[in-house]
Amino acid sequence: MVPGISTQVLYPHRLSSKHLDALAGTGARVIELFAARFHFDYTDRQMLRDTAAWFRSNDVRPTLHAPMTADTHFSRHAAPSLNLVAMEKPRRIEAMEEMKRALEAAEQVPVSTCVLHLGLDGDNWSDYALEHAITAIEHLKAFAGPLGVKLLLENLRNEVATPGHLMDILRIGHFDTTSVCLDVGHVHLSGVSLVEVLKIVEGKVAELHLHDNAGAPTIGTAPTTGKPDAHFWPASGTERPNSLGNGTIHWREVYSLIETLPAEVPGVLEIADLQAESAEMASRVGREVLSHRERLLED
């Protein structure tokens, strides 16, 4: 696994070279640029030039997370709004156009992959969802290909983007060059074992998202109102300040399982911004978490 970290941990801030320096200080060899106009503004040519210059000067590889909102100002009360599989055609078109704008960043920043969300929390699986997903991927794949960007589909907290349905979409759409970004935290919330999920997506995992939470909702509780998708740091005990949340993922087991994946697969720490008070804190705790992983594997 190639260690990585997402700029999501600094989401409220406008991304700068200082922030990238701090994230690289964790020991990450991959940095996922979390696309949002108020954070990593993929429409700002100067920001793109500065970001590209930073990556040219550092031995760190950039990847991209597609935008979830077109908002230009950060708000904790704003929910993700871009939906590639929405029932309403204008909403699908809006989402598609925003994804293309973000992908155009690859003209300057050498991103090799882009993580896509299919649907929002609670969206249902249907023939319409399948059709809309295939149409979206076909269009975005044709747009991303000439830019040298490979699309990755992330498993989410909805019926459309379960690991099984993602594999159905790839198979039915004949998307041989599109892969999966396996989000370990979302697997934990689903209540399905990681062992079982790895069998479902075998041969298709090109990236991992690593974060912790309290596990699957209790019986009779809707996924969107049950235990939250907290995006805690994946470590425990002295590896993490007491002020930060503790999840219930068994990380020794998880790290051992993902060691069976190809060595070049990035394992990206995708941590909520509430888990870091500053870029310096994100750098320090991220470094501790990656060191903790090495010790667990050695043990």
Side-chain angles (χ1 to χ4, degrees):
M1 184 192 87
V2 179
I5 191 167
S6 173
T7 65
Q8 180 178 339
V9 72
L10 301 171
Y11 199 46
H13 305 281
R14 190 166 179 83
L15 193 65
S16 68
S17 58
K18 174 187 174 182
H19 296 135
L20 294 172
D21 285 339
L23 297 182
T26 63
R29 301 274 54 84
V30 170
I31 291 180
E32 178 189 75
L33 298 168
F34 209 92
R37 295 197 188 201
F38 51 80
H39 172 62
F40 172 58
D41 187 352
Y42 40 88
T43 67
D44 184 325
R45 293 184 178 181
Q46 186 59 53
M47 172 170 274
L48 292 178
R49 284 193 290 268
D50 292 345
T51 304
W54 187 91
F55 280 103
R56 284 196 300 271
S57 301
N58 291 271
D59 185 24
V60 180
R61 176 162 60 90
T63 63
L64 183 68
H65 192 298
M68 298 190 297
T69 176
D71 291 348
T72 57
H73 295 88
F74 173 76
S75 171
R76 295 201 186 281
H77 305 292
S81 57
L82 297 175
N83 190 348
L84 290 167
V85 298
M87 290 298 293
E88 305 87 353
K89 187 174 182 179
R91 289 187 63 197
R92 297 198 302 275
I93 293 174
E94 176 195 15
M96 189 87 68
E97 292 305 309
E98 200 65 26
M99 304 298 164
K100 289 179 179 177
R101 292 186 191 100
L103 284 166
E104 284 178 338
E107 293 177 346
Q108 295 193 55
V109 184
V111 298
S112 55
T113 59
C114 177
V115 174
L116 291 181
H117 282 195
L118 295 179
L120 304 178
D121 277 3
D123 278 358
N124 296 318
W125 177 249
S126 67
D127 290 342
Y128 292 110
L130 173 61
E131 178 185 348
H132 298 331
I134 289 175
T135 300
I137 296 166
E138 284 176 341
H139 280 78
L140 293 176
K141 188 170 176 288
F143 190 85
L147 295 170
V149 180
K150 179 179 179 179
L151 301 181
L152 308 180
L153 309 182
E154 180 179 346
N155 56 302
L156 305 173
R157 301 180 70 197
N158 64 38
E159 291 183 1
V160 181
T162 65
H165 286 155
L166 291 182
M167 294 299 283
D168 288 340
I169 292 167
L170 294 179
R171 175 179 53 81
I172 295 169
H174 303 287
F175 299 127
D176 297 335
T177 60
T178 302
S179 296
V180 170
C181 172
L182 184 63
D183 190 300
V184 172
H186 295 165
V187 171
H188 191 50
L189 284 168
S190 74
V192 182
S193 74
L194 183 58
V195 173
E196 183 176 340
V197 170
L198 285 171
K199 290 178 181 176
I200 294 170
V201 297
E202 185 176 4
K204 276 295 185 179
V205 178
E207 186 174 311
L208 296 157
H209 280 168
L210 306 176
H211 54 91
D212 212 336
N213 55 64
T218 55
I219 296 174
T221 304
T224 54
T225 58
K227 296 180 180 178
D229 187 14
H231 285 253
F232 294 145
W233 292 100
S236 59
T238 58
E239 305 301 322
R240 179 167 50 189
N242 292 332
S243 61
L244 301 183
N246 292 302
T248 57
I249 292 179
H250 192 301
W251 285 101
R252 186 192 305 275
E253 179 181 320
V254 167
Y255 290 144
S256 297
L257 286 170
I258 62 180
E259 281 296 296
T260 63
L261 297 172
E264 67 272 15
V265 172
V268 175
L269 295 172
E270 196 182 55
I271 309 303
D273 62 274
L274 291 170
Q275 298 294 298
E277 298 170 358
S278 64
E280 292 74 21
M281 180 181 178
S283 183
R284 175 176 57 81
V285 180
R287 191 163 53 248
E288 291 175 355
V289 168
L290 291 176
S291 296
H292 183 239
R293 169 184 171 268
E294 293 299 322
R295 285 196 296 277
L296 287 177
L297 289 173
E298 288 172 3
D299 291 343

